[in-house]
Amino acid sequence: MKAKVMQVLYARKEQQDKVLGAGYPLRLATWNLRLSMERTFPGENWNCATLRKVLAELAIEGKVEKCKHESRIGQTVWRLL
């Protein structure tokens, strides 16, 4: 699951770099990540609780971090490192 989440995050980062140019960090809310996961892997069931667990493990590994300024109650925004 971690590899699939990272695959989607890197794909979104490439898309963002094409549109905005390099140098901007990728920030993605859990809900938007879920929608991207469903679009990329249509046969699999993705829910926000599972994604939060995977993203928390990725944060421990140092691949993503929780944005303190953009996050709010009920919606966490994650930043790709």
Side-chain angles (χ1 to χ4, degrees), residues 4-21 24-40 78 80:
K4 290 181 179 181
V5 170
M6 292 305 294
Q7 177 185 346
V8 169
L9 288 174
Y10 286 135
R12 289 290 297 256
K13 177 67 175 160
E14 288 177 19
Q15 181 183 13
Q16 177 179 302
D17 287 347
K18 287 180 187 176
V19 174
L20 300 176
Y24 295 100
L26 176 70
R27 291 184 178 101
L28 196 61
T30 308
W31 178 260
N32 292 335
L33 179 61
R34 186 186 79 79
L35 295 176
S36 295
M37 295 296 288
E38 287 181 351
R39 211 173 313 119
T40 306
W78 300 91
L80 180 65

Side-chain angles (χ1 to χ4, degrees), residues 10-77:
Y10 286 135
R12 289 290 297 256
K13 177 67 175 160
E14 288 177 19
Q15 181 183 13
Q16 177 179 302
D17 287 347
K18 287 180 187 176
V19 174
L20 300 176
Y24 295 100
L26 176 70
R27 291 184 178 101
L28 196 61
T30 308
W31 178 260
N32 292 335
L33 179 61
R34 186 186 79 79
L35 295 176
S36 295
M37 295 296 288
E38 287 181 351
R39 211 173 313 119
T40 306
F41 305 105
E44 300 179 23
N45 185 17
W46 297 96
N47 59 25
C48 288
T50 304
L51 284 175
R52 280 192 300 272
K53 289 178 186 177
V54 172
L55 288 164
E57 292 174 10
L58 289 172
I60 292 170
E61 294 175 11
K63 295 182 179 179
V64 297
E65 71 178 357
K66 188 186 293 188
C67 288
K68 295 178 183 177
H69 300 291
E70 288 85 5
S71 296
R72 56 187 166 84
I73 295 175
Q75 183 68 352
T76 305
V77 176

